[in-house]
Every structure is written in C-alpha cells, then in structure tokens.
Amino acid sequence: MKRLIRLLLCGSAMMSACGCSESQDILDDSKPQLCSIAIAVDGNSLVTSRTAIVDPDDNLRGKQHVTRVQLYIYKHDGDDYICVASEDVKWNHLNGAENGLETRQKRYTTDYQGYVDDIDYLFLAVGFDDTFEGGTDNPKFNNENSIAAFGVPEIIAPVGSKLSERHFSLCKGADVGIISQSELFAGSRTFTKAQLKDGTAVKQPIDLYRRVAGIVGYFKNMPDVIEGSKVDKVVLRLYQSQNTEIFFLPKIPAQYQTPEDVPDDEYEDYITLPYSGTSGDIINFYKKTDTDGGEFKLSAYMLPCAASEFKGQSTLELVFIAENGNELASRRILYSPNRKTDSRSGTGIIDPSDEGDDNKALHYPIRANNFYRMGEQKNPIDLSGQTSYIYIEIDPVWDEYYGGAMDNEIIPPGLGIDKDWGEHDGGKLDSSN
C-alpha cells in the first residue's frame, strides 16, 4: 500500500510544467480569503525522444476537447487518501472545445473549506469530452463520449472512498466500442492548507493529461477480393480483448520520475482487466463501400495495455474480413524506435525479412497519452502488396491536427475522431530529428 501511495504521489509530482495558451481566471484574486487552486487541461501529450518524427514543425501545438472538469479532494489518512469532496468546477472553456482548443487554465475556489492545518490534501482533477446543447453559459450536457464510457463524475470517486481503491472503469453494461470515441484527462497535485491560503496552489496548476492512447491509420488500394472472396471490411485488432480499467494517475516504477522516462519493457501504467463481451479485441473497423475508391481511415482511442508476449504475435494487426465473417488476410503492425518510419515516407509496409518474429518491433505496449499513427493523409499505406507487416509510428507530440473531437454522424462511431486528424505532419521532439 505504501508503494502504491508513493507511486501516486510521483504521478502527481510529474504534472509540473504547464504550457498555457489564452489562459483565463488565473490571476483573479477576488476571494483571497478562501482556499483556491488552478487547473489546466493540457492539449499536448507527453514529449519523449524515443520516436523519430519526419518533417518536424515547432509551431504546432496540441489540442484538447474537454467540456467538463470534476475536482475530487482527498485528505491524507494513514497510508491512503480519503475523498472528502467532489465538485464540478464549472469549466468555462466550452466555446470551440468540440473542434479542439489549446491548453486552457482556470482558477477555482473550492466549495469545500474544511481544510485542517498540517494535513496533505490531494486534488485530483478529471476532464471529460462530453457533448452539450444550448449556450456555453448554461450548457445542457448529454452524458456522451467519456461520460458514457466511464460514468458521470459524481460516481467515479464518491465522497468517503479511498484513492487506492478506485479506477476509471468502463460502465457496467457499456459496449467496449464506446472507448474508441472517449477522450479522458486526469492530473493531480498535493497541497496543505497553508499552501492553499498563501496562493501557492494557484501558482502551481494541476495539469491534466490524457489517460487514453490515440490511434489513426490512413490506407489506400484496399483489395476488393482476396483468394476469391470479396472483402467486406477491415478490422484494427488488438492481440487480446481491450482493457476496461485504468488508474486515475500514471503508475510509474520507483526508479523513474515521469512516464516518458519509463522504457517499454518496464511500462506498467495499465490494468489488465479485459472486456468479457464478444469482439473485445476490435479497436475499430471500416466497412468497404463502392465509393471509397479503395482509401479509408481508421481512428480510435483505447485504454493502455501491456505488450504482447507470444512469438510471432504483434500487439496490433490489420485484418481483412469476408462477408461471411471469415478472415482473409492480416497485416501485423510493428513499431521500431530506431527505424526512420516508412509510414511517413513510403508505403509503411516492410518485407518480412526485415524483422524477425522475436524482434521487439512486434511487442510494444499501448501507452497512455501517446499517439500511434500508420501512414498519413497525404501518403496513406498501400495495402495492395503481399507483405504481412505495417509500421506504426508513435507520436507523443499529439499535435493539433490529431485531436479528439468526434464526428458523431459517422457510423460506426469512432471512425472520425477529428475531421482533420492527420492533415499535417507531427511536431518536433528534439533537435536530433
């Protein structure tokens, strides 16, 4: 238990840098006598240097689509924290959120004021991408997207519950497919009553980062027939049924400080609790039409998971399905951090001789707040060849053109995370790229 609390505190400590854009309310000192904090929803994902990004652009920033923020206040109690309050912060950055906004920040004075001297209080803020009707001053929320997937804010962390005992969990009875259209953010900081009173908490915003991964693939020359059978649809498939839970905050091994420091083979920021229903391994699918011209896009969010471990089995694969449901062919999706990605400069498909079954390119975890890309809109992956591998590109920058606003009119849901997702190249990671 002590180790868990230490990991949770490490997760909150790493949320330190806040790149704000057009922030509001942060300097409002109208209620200095009350305990206040600041909350920032960060559009960018965690930046690491483990992936080569072609054609970097320093000017691109990330975007987020949060419309609701709930604050859970925890009081330190022995080896754990107990929730003493759950509050709607009345997030006011709704205008434009559907199409994506850069980082937004808000000062918030908590309704709860029962703070005790010399006690640590952990402030957990969670951002949801709910849709709404009416004006932004008095919105009527529809309880869709991440709310439908993980529950209304009041039940996620009830007052009196322990921090160690609660996770984000897929709602009972909900289909796992709803995760594909659910963007979810979280972050935390710990303050004492004195820090709340003297303004320290306002100067150190709680930064919220995605607790889901994003995946998109652009493809062309989709075959009409494979071995005499008509292709009906293409499925993006995980090696196992998708997980249905994730920790509130990043779980970081003791020897590391931030999530991006953790190598893939030590990554543990996931909860292995697979979906028990049918087709839980399907991340998303595209059904062939007579008008698509052989080009299509697949995009989705998903909860993080461990890497596959079985020889010859890749974490992700693309599968061609016949009208009768039979599998006609598959393409294993590989990731290699030391390889300049073909998906940005060529077909994205490599010869099987380039990689052995035991190569780590097959076995990679799906990490929270990372973006996984196959091809690009201007250069989709060609599926007409006979090879069996596709390279995936992990882009931790998650630039503004890879946002998370859903095209809700698209059926099935999740095929259009953003109308312009992938239109431009990714952002710069480091000076070596």
Side-chain angles (χ1 to χ4, degrees):
M1 181 68 70
K2 290 182 179 180
R3 182 173 182 272
L4 174 60
I5 295 301
R6 181 158 55 88
L7 291 174
L8 288 172
L9 291 176
C10 287
S12 65
M14 74 92 182
M15 306 290 188
S16 58
C18 175
C20 300
S21 174
E22 300 182 22
S23 59
Q24 300 177 12
D25 303 330
I26 193 62
L27 298 178
D28 180 8
D29 291 320
S30 60
K31 297 180 179 180
Q33 75 281 8
L34 297 178
C35 297
S36 301
I37 61 173
I39 299 171
V41 178
D42 199 307
N44 294 301
S45 62
L46 301 177
V47 177
T48 75
S49 58
R50 61 192 185 90
T51 307
I53 304 298
V54 180
D55 299 328
D57 186 339
D58 283 327
N59 297 320
L60 297 182
R61 291 185 53 81
K63 287 196 175 182
Q64 47 80 23
H65 306 81
V66 168
T67 57
R68 299 173 67 173
V69 175
Q70 190 80 4
L71 178 69
Y72 306 96
I73 304 173
Y74 287 87
K75 180 180 179 180
H76 188 225
D77 184 15
D79 291 334
D80 212 330
Y81 285 85
I82 303 296
C83 185
V84 295
S86 174
E87 301 181 9
D88 180 353
V89 305
K90 301 297 189 293
W91 193 246
N92 57 329
H93 303 295
L94 301 180
N95 190 21
E98 180 180 358
N99 295 318
L101 298 171
E102 294 182 356
T103 296
R104 289 295 186 267
Q105 185 167 295
K106 174 184 175 67
R107 173 170 173 163
Y108 175 70
T109 300
T110 64
D111 294 331
Y112 177 84
Q113 292 290 317
Y115 302 103
V116 178
D117 291 332
D118 302 322
I119 296 291
D120 288 333
Y121 290 88
L122 185 145
F123 296 83
L124 169 67
V126 177
F128 306 88
D129 64 338
D130 197 1
T131 61
F132 64 93
E133 298 175 358
T136 57
D137 293 334
N138 188 27
K140 179 183 178 182
F141 290 104
N142 298 319
N143 291 336
E144 294 182 334
N145 298 342
S146 54
I147 298 287
F150 303 107
V152 294
E154 304 88 82
I155 69 170
I156 287 179
V159 172
S161 63
K162 296 181 178 180
L163 179 62
S164 63
E165 296 176 348
R166 306 292 296 190
H167 311 119
F168 294 118
S169 301
L170 181 66
C171 291
K172 184 177 180 180
D175 186 88
V176 71
I178 198 172
I179 295 176
S180 69
Q181 55 185 306
S182 301
E183 190 177 33
L184 181 67
F185 285 73
S188 74
R189 278 192 181 274
T190 303
F191 298 110
T192 62
K193 179 180 179 179
Q195 291 173 317
L196 294 166
K197 289 283 190 179
D198 66 16
T200 299
V202 175
K203 298 174 183 177
Q204 299 179 19
I206 303 170
D207 294 329
L208 278 65
Y209 295 95
R210 292 176 184 86
R211 298 301 289 136
V212 293
I215 300 176
V216 70
Y218 301 95
F219 306 96
K220 67 179 180 180
N221 295 330
M222 179 177 174
D224 294 317
V225 176
I226 296 178
E227 295 184 353
S229 296
K230 184 178 179 180
V231 176
D232 179 58
K233 62 182 177 181
V234 178
V235 170
L236 178 63
R237 189 166 67 185
L238 186 65
Y239 74 98
Q240 64 176 18
S241 189
Q242 296 181 65
N243 287 330
T244 57
E245 291 193 3
I246 184 59
F247 303 109
F248 285 155
L249 300 170
K251 184 178 180 182
I252 306 172
Q255 64 271 34
Y256 302 102
Q257 297 299 314
T258 62
E260 62 264 35
D261 295 334
V262 182
D264 279 351
D265 57 0
E266 297 182 54
Y267 184 73
E268 55 183 37
D269 188 20
Y270 56 85
I271 298 176
T272 302
L273 189 63
Y275 180 70
S276 60
T278 59
S279 304
D281 57 344
I282 297 177
I283 305 302
N284 216 327
F285 70 92
Y286 179 77
K287 191 173 179 65
K288 187 174 175 59
T289 70
D290 295 331
T291 60
D292 59 20
E295 293 194 13
F296 66 97
K297 180 180 74 171
L298 283 171
S299 58
Y301 297 117
M302 65 175 294
L303 294 180
C305 70
S308 62
E309 296 180 351
F310 297 102
K311 183 177 180 179
Q313 182 184 61
S314 58
T315 297
L316 294 169
E317 64 178 354
L318 199 68
V319 185
F320 299 88
I321 307 294
E323 291 178 319
N324 61 6
N326 290 339
E327 293 186 12
L328 301 176
S330 64
R331 300 285 187 266
R332 287 182 288 186
I333 298 172
L334 284 72
Y335 161 65
S336 179
N338 299 318
R339 179 187 176 97
K340 296 297 183 180
T341 53
D342 287 343
S343 62
R344 298 299 292 267
S345 57
T347 65
I349 301 178
I350 63 172
D351 189 271
S353 62
D354 290 349
E355 301 286 351
D357 284 347
D358 293 328
N359 194 284
K360 288 186 178 181
L362 285 167
H363 303 148
Y364 49 90
I366 302 297
R367 301 170 65 122
N369 206 31
N370 273 206
F371 176 78
Y372 297 73
R373 177 179 52 245
M374 293 160 282
E376 57 179 317
Q377 184 167 331
K378 297 179 180 178
N379 191 18
I381 292 175
D382 193 328
L383 296 175
S384 62
Q386 300 301 311
T387 52
S388 58
Y389 298 88
I390 297 171
Y391 259 115
I392 195 167
E393 179 177 338
I394 302 177
D395 185 353
V397 173
W398 204 317
D399 72 51
E400 63 180 89
Y401 302 99
Y402 310 141
M406 294 302 303
D407 286 339
N408 290 316
E409 73 274 14
I410 293 181
I411 299 176
L415 285 181
I417 287 184
D418 192 296
K419 293 179 179 180
D420 298 318
W421 200 5
E423 184 178 347
H424 296 264
D425 292 329
K428 183 176 181 180
L429 292 179
D430 58 36
S431 58
S432 64
N433 291 326

